[in-house]
Amino acid sequence: MNKKAMYTISYGLFVVTACRDGKDNGCITNTVIQLTSEPNRISVAVNKSNYTSEMIRETGLFTASVIAQDATFDLFRRFGFQSGRDVDKFDGFDSFYRAENGTLIITEGTNAWISAEVEQTIDLGSHMLFIARVTDMNTIGDVPSATYTYYQEKIKPKPEAIGKTAEGKTIWRCRICGYEYVGEELPEDFICPICKHPASDFEKVTG
Ligand code: FE
């Protein structure tokens, strides 16, 4: 079985936001999908370890802002590589306004937003799958949407290390965020400290 087949599936990228007890949060996901059009329904799978997942489970409300090709890596760093449990992801950020359902719409590096109310929640083990009815939506601009491949090729900074370190040690690089681990073997239970993806998302850097 060749896991690389999964890499050929095309995905969009989204900032999914929630608000609970006056606290706003959001995370980056590639899992927003339109399910039906009459009525309009979308689904989003959010890793349970994400604070946003817990907030959506409790409030049943979220907005997915669609990431466009003019998004900067800073947007991914802000919403993707830190936890809302530790920081206020909106601190020092002012490119947003509040949707009618109380969650925030991201207006920088995005081209549309979709607010939704959860109808069904399915526990998938690592992720919660939310099936939600669209309650409001609009477009923001006409910059094309960024696919996950576009992010990998154009937005994620190009790695600097090639092959081994100056000391001749092996480098493993996170395919998601670019974090580098140095060591002959990457522990099987290793979790990326930046983006929280597992060891299977790391690749050995070869010269
Ligand atoms: Fe990572």
Side-chain angles (χ1 to χ4, degrees), residues 14-19 25-27 29 31-33 35 41-46 52-53 55-57 59-65 99-105 113-121 128-136:
F14 312 87
V15 184
V16 172
T17 50
C19 178
N25 192 34
C27 67
T29 174
T31 56
V32 175
I33 295 170
L35 294 176
R41 277 195 197 93
I42 58 174
S43 67
V44 60
V46 187
T52 308
S53 181
M55 291 169 78
I56 297 173
R57 206 163 59 229
T59 63
L61 299 169
F62 66 90
T63 291
S65 296
E100 262 179 38
N101 75 354
T103 60
L104 295 180
I105 293 163
W113 56 271
I114 301 167
S115 286
E117 185 174 350
V118 175
E119 290 183 332
Q120 287 182 59
T121 301
M128 296 302 288
L129 177 67
F130 301 108
I131 295 174
R133 187 175 52 85
V134 174
T135 54
D136 199 6

Side-chain angles (χ1 to χ4, degrees), residues 25-107:
N25 192 34
C27 67
I28 304 272
T29 174
N30 62 356
T31 56
V32 175
I33 295 170
Q34 181 179 11
L35 294 176
T36 61
S37 55
E38 295 292 338
N40 255 316
R41 277 195 197 93
I42 58 174
S43 67
V44 60
V46 187
N47 195 303
K48 282 183 189 172
S49 66
N50 285 0
Y51 192 32
T52 308
S53 181
E54 181 184 315
M55 291 169 78
I56 297 173
R57 206 163 59 229
E58 289 184 15
T59 63
L61 299 169
F62 66 90
T63 291
S65 296
V66 182
I67 296 178
Q69 291 183 359
D70 60 351
T72 62
F73 187 63
D74 276 346
L75 185 77
F76 290 89
R77 200 156 34 204
R78 173 177 290 278
F79 290 104
F81 301 159
Q82 49 186 0
S83 172
R85 285 192 184 87
D86 312 323
V87 298
D88 174 2
K89 294 190 183 182
F90 290 91
D91 186 29
F93 185 78
D94 55 11
S95 302
F96 61 82
Y97 64 95
R98 201 166 293 282
E100 262 179 38
N101 75 354
T103 60
L104 295 180
I105 293 163
I106 309 300
T107 57

Side-chain angles (χ1 to χ4, degrees), residues 81 174-179 192-197 202:
F81 301 159
C174 176
R175 289 173 38 82
I176 312 300
C177 74
Y179 175 83
C192 178
I194 307 290
C195 72
K196 316 297 180 204
H197 276 246
F202 277 71

Side-chain angles (χ1 to χ4, degrees), residues 116-168:
E117 185 174 350
V118 175
E119 290 183 332
Q120 287 182 59
T121 301
I122 299 169
D123 190 332
L124 299 178
S126 61
H127 290 63
M128 296 302 288
L129 177 67
F130 301 108
I131 295 174
R133 187 175 52 85
V134 174
T135 54
D136 199 6
M137 56 183 159
N138 208 346
T139 55
I140 295 174
D142 50 18
V143 177
S145 300
T147 61
Y148 187 56
T149 303
Y150 187 90
Y151 163 77
Q152 290 284 351
E153 291 174 357
K154 308 277 187 178
I155 299 176
K156 191 174 79 172
K158 288 278 171 281
E160 285 171 16
I162 295 170
K164 298 189 175 217
T165 65
E167 296 79 36

